[in-house]
Amino acid sequence: MTDPMTATALEGVLTRVFEGTFSHFPPDVREAARDGYLVSVSVAPDDLVDNVRERLLDDVVRAINGPERPSVHDCDQEVRRRFRASVEKAVPGSCAKQVEPLAPAPPIDAQPWQLASDPQAYGQHAGWWIVVDGTLAHELSEPVPTHALAQRIADGINAADPTAEWHRHWFVLR
């Protein structure tokens, strides 16, 4: 059960300051955010409120605990518990609702994916590798026999647009 004093003291500590890519982040907002932690969460068109909240909580944990500190499950869970109400207020809505249906498409985020070892489904390519986009919905390559080769293909696809950035919601954590 949440302590009412803790919940009240933490209410409003997470304030949305910007939506967009880092390269478009306004300098005056960055300056105003210097007395707190700048945290953010990527948002793609199909992202649901619940998923965005969990990823934002992950970033809050990293901000509070520091990126160099190894994750300590009990400490991380305590930070998550303490800031859950603030995150729910910062990312409002029903858990199954889309956060921003008109958000820009995410970068390709190409990655290797192993086909099942099912000769009936994949024939001679069963167990081979393909490259898929970050949504796992689109195949970007033909099957190749090794993970290393699929990784090289994915790296080449991702390097083709080095300016691609995730659309993010940015918050100041105080």
Side-chain angles (χ1 to χ4, degrees), residues 5 58 87 110 168:
M5 292 301 289
D58 291 342
V87 167
R168 303 183 78 77

Side-chain angles (χ1 to χ4, degrees), residues 1 8 12 31 40 43 46 56 58 70-71 73 91 107 111 155:
M1 187 163 112
T8 303
E31 182 64 27
S40 67
V43 177
D46 294 332
L56 182 55
D58 291 342
S71 179
H73 184 70
V91 183
Q111 51 195 286
D155 291 344

Side-chain angles (χ1 to χ4, degrees), residues 53-104:
R53 285 177 180 163
E54 290 305 312
R55 292 196 316 267
L56 182 55
L57 272 170
D58 291 342
D59 207 41
V60 167
V61 168
R62 280 189 294 276
I64 299 292
N65 292 342
E68 68 285 341
R69 187 174 151 259
S71 179
V72 178
H73 184 70
D74 292 341
C75 293
D76 291 355
Q77 291 307 315
E78 177 62 19
V79 171
R80 293 176 80 80
R81 185 191 65 73
R82 289 184 61 216
F83 285 93
R84 184 163 298 279
S86 293
V87 167
E88 287 174 358
K89 186 175 178 180
V91 183
S94 166
C95 290
K97 179 184 164 201
Q98 289 181 338
V99 173
E100 191 176 345
L102 299 177

Side-chain angles (χ1 to χ4, degrees), residues 1 7 9 15 17 24 37 57 60 70 73 84 125-126 146 162:
M1 187 163 112
T15 308
V17 292
H24 292 102
Y37 297 102
L57 272 170
V60 167
H73 184 70
R84 184 163 298 279
H125 295 135
T146 66

Side-chain angles (χ1 to χ4, degrees), residues 137-159:
H138 302 95
E139 295 181 11
L140 305 175
S141 76
E142 295 297 319
V144 294
T146 66
H147 177 268
L149 182 54
Q151 185 64 60
R152 280 198 300 273
I153 294 168
D155 291 344
I157 291 170
N158 290 330

